[in-house]
Amino acid sequence: MDEAGLAAFEELRPRLTGLAYRMLGEVQEAEDAVQDAYLRWSGTDRAAVEEPRAWLIKVVTNLCLNRLASARARRETYTGPWLPEPVPAGADGLGARVLGPLETAEQRDSVSLALLTLMESLTPAERAVFVLREAFGYRHRDIAGVLDVTETASRQLHRRARQRVASAERRFAPPGERWRRLVERFLDAAIRGDLAGLEAILAEDVVAWSDGGGKVSAARNAITGRVPAARFFAGVARRVVDRPGTSLEPSVEEVNGVPALVVRVDGELTMIAVLEASGDRVTAVHAVLNPDKLAFAARALSRSGRLPGPS
């Protein structure tokens, strides 16, 4: 590939990867889709491409649509709840290259684990329209060209997608510093096994998901309610804290654009938990424990300046 063609692709790579990650919820799958687009780009007559960005967005979107079919089949047989792969910012910008542009509130919200999880309920076409419209601000006329549908069909797909996620979208989240303090309070109470402290910051109807993928111990179903959720997370912390000779390293890091709880045991990343909040109450917890899904996060955090958790 000539230097101009390579430069054009590399300039768009973060946007393409951010699109693919929002479509698929998995880092390696997203990177593979973008690499496939690169191969197609290198083999096409670029003189015939009027607008490289539009051409590549269309190629990546359709590659993701094809991958979603097989991904859905895998997730139907997944052990326990399936959660998207968490992506920390990381000091070296590794995470930022996966998340793509986060310049607007809509772009930041579109990579939240909560919304990515909700988007699993959408059809592939609904998900594509939702991502292109909500995260990247595409007009329906342009989306219609990407998906080879009419503008009316694009609007209908977007309306259905909005209706499906609207009833369960993330509730009001406190500003960053208040959110961070809430995460730290949750962490402190869990480590100390303080059930009363946990219950004090959990909403009555809190829902907790834990994704172990059958690789590590995790709840097979969502845990609903303040008391069951408090007992679950206190129990998880107790199993680690009470283990002789074990070094627990909790911290608060930025993951998918928000402060999240990161736990390392003997230097190995073992859990990332992202909290949703309404005011000063935790309304939902998405805890990823599957080591396969933490591999990328471990690399992204390896050179990150970490904020220490409560002692």
Side-chain angles (χ1 to χ4, degrees):
M1 182 185 298
D2 60 85
E3 290 187 8
L6 178 60
F9 186 90
E10 291 303 324
E11 181 181 357
L12 290 170
R13 185 184 288 273
R15 178 174 290 270
L16 299 174
T17 308
L19 167 62
Y21 173 71
R22 288 165 173 81
M23 286 286 294
L24 301 169
E26 297 180 76
V27 175
Q28 190 59 58
E29 284 289 310
E31 292 179 335
D32 287 348
V34 173
Q35 184 62 24
D36 286 348
Y38 172 82
L39 295 175
R40 295 192 182 194
W41 176 245
S42 64
T44 195
D45 177 9
R46 289 185 295 281
V49 178
E50 294 183 7
E51 177 49 60
R53 174 180 294 196
W55 190 92
L56 286 166
I57 288 288
K58 180 170 185 172
V59 168
V60 169
T61 300
N62 283 283
L63 286 168
C64 289
L65 288 173
N66 292 336
R67 288 174 177 271
L68 274 175
S70 59
R72 291 286 174 86
R74 293 196 308 273
R75 292 167 194 177
E76 286 177 0
T77 59
Y78 194 79
T79 302
W82 183 94
L83 293 177
E85 189 172 348
V87 179
D92 60 357
L94 184 61
R97 291 198 292 274
V98 171
L99 296 176
L102 298 176
E103 299 160 2
T104 67
E106 290 77 12
Q107 288 173 337
R108 290 191 294 274
D109 285 345
S110 67
V111 293
S112 73
L113 290 193
L115 189 54
L116 290 173
T117 302
L118 285 173
M119 284 195 286
E120 287 294 299
S121 67
L122 305 180
T123 68
E126 288 170 346
R127 185 163 185 162
V129 172
F130 186 84
V131 169
L132 289 169
R133 179 68 177 168
E134 300 290 325
F136 295 94
Y138 272 57
R139 298 173 298 179
H140 284 291
R141 182 177 64 187
D142 298 324
I143 296 172
V146 170
L147 298 179
D148 293 325
V149 298
T150 65
E151 187 173 342
T152 298
S154 175
R155 292 182 183 278
Q156 290 173 339
L157 287 165
H158 181 248
R159 182 169 59 253
R160 288 203 298 267
R162 288 291 306 165
Q163 289 172 344
R164 288 198 183 192
V165 303
S167 62
E169 274 189 300
R170 191 185 70 193
R171 285 177 274 182
F172 170 78
E177 193 53 42
R178 282 176 57 199
W179 198 338
R180 183 178 295 276
R181 288 198 298 269
L182 188 63
V183 175
E184 290 172 344
R185 286 175 57 201
F186 178 90
L187 170 59
D188 179 58
I191 290 175
R192 292 188 291 105
D194 181 2
L195 283 174
L198 279 171
E199 291 176 21
I201 61 174
L202 295 176
E204 182 66 36
D205 59 349
V206 64
V207 181
W209 292 270
S210 58
D211 178 347
K215 304 291 182 68
V216 296
S217 177
R220 293 295 184 95
N221 298 292
I223 298 171
T224 304
R226 175 183 294 157
V227 174
R231 290 175 176 169
F232 173 74
F233 285 108
V236 170
R238 189 181 307 115
R239 286 198 297 271
V240 177
V241 173
D242 293 346
R243 194 183 306 163
T246 297
S247 172
L248 179 66
E249 304 169 55
S251 61
V252 178
E253 317 276 359
E254 182 180 324
V255 176
N256 288 70
V258 298
L261 168 60
V262 174
V263 177
R264 299 170 179 83
V265 176
D266 293 336
E268 181 179 352
L269 181 62
T270 59
M271 183 179 76
I272 291 179
V274 177
L275 280 58
E276 295 179 63
S278 178
D280 291 325
R281 294 295 180 110
V282 174
T283 58
V285 182
H286 299 77
V288 178
L289 301 95
N290 184 340
D292 294 342
K293 290 188 177 181
L294 295 175
F296 176 84
R299 296 197 302 273
L301 290 167
S302 61
R303 295 195 297 273
S304 179
R306 291 182 289 162
L307 294 173
S311 58

